[in-house]
């Protein structure tokens, strides 16, 4: 069983033998969004052996993530709970996702259906 951890800076790492190994998203079409990556089958994760600790790998473009999810900007913004202007600014390069938004987009790159399902559920009252 593969153990993964989402780091505060948005990286997803695999935990093996007490060490962290950065992962590269393996979604279909990702090679187009991240030039230089070899095409991989979607069933396996690729470890980036040359990534230094603290180095953040580039995220796929927000537009590519949204298009792969077959959503409009308005729908994508609603599912993420952000204003549509935020999505537009990210896609046009006027702003860059940071912090929690970057982490969320990194997880969406790995498993969009899981993220959207989790965001769609209402939190239970405590």
């Amino acid at each position: 069983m593969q153990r993964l951890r989402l780091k505060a800076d948005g990286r997803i790492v695999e935990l093996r033998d007490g060490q962290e190994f950065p992962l590269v998203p393996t979604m279909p079409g990702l090679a187009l969004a991240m030039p230089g990556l070899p095409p991989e089958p979607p069933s396996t994760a690729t470890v980036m052996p040359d990534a230094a600790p603290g180095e953040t790998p580039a995220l796929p473009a927000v537009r590519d993530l949204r298009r792969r999810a077959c959503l409009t900007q308005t729908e994508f913004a609603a599912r993420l709970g952000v204003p549509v202007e935020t999505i537009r600014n990210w896609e046009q390069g006027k702003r860059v996702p940071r912090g929690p938004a970057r982490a969320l987009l990194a997880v969406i790159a790995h498993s969009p259906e899981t993220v959207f399902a989790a965001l769609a559920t209402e939190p239970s009252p405590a």
Side-chain angles (χ1 to χ4, degrees), residues 75-95:
E75 293 167 336
F76 194 66
R79 290 205 184 177
L80 295 183
V82 299
V84 69
E85 291 81 13
T86 300
I87 302 298
R88 288 185 185 132
N89 287 336
W90 289 344
E91 289 187 2
Q92 294 172 3
K94 293 179 181 177
R95 297 213 181 253

Side-chain angles (χ1 to χ4, degrees), residues 5 7 11 13-16 18-22:
R5 176 176 289 161
K7 304 298 283 185
R11 293 178 299 129
V13 296
E14 180 181 3
L15 301 174
R16 279 189 274 139
Q19 294 184 341
E20 296 178 348
F21 298 90

Side-chain angles (χ1 to χ4, degrees), residues 16-50:
R16 279 189 274 139
D17 301 323
Q19 294 184 341
E20 296 178 348
F21 298 90
L23 294 182
V24 174
T26 57
M27 290 185 62
L30 188 60
L32 299 174
M34 295 177 70
L37 289 180
E40 299 273 340
S43 61
T44 62
T46 304
V47 176
M48 289 185 354
D50 58 343

Side-chain angles (χ1 to χ4, degrees), residues 46-73:
T46 304
V47 176
M48 289 185 354
D50 58 343
E55 184 178 306
T56 305
L59 273 177
V62 175
R63 179 174 292 148
D64 293 335
L65 291 175
R66 178 181 58 81
R67 286 182 175 167
R68 274 188 254 136
C70 300
L71 297 172
T72 65
Q73 286 181 338

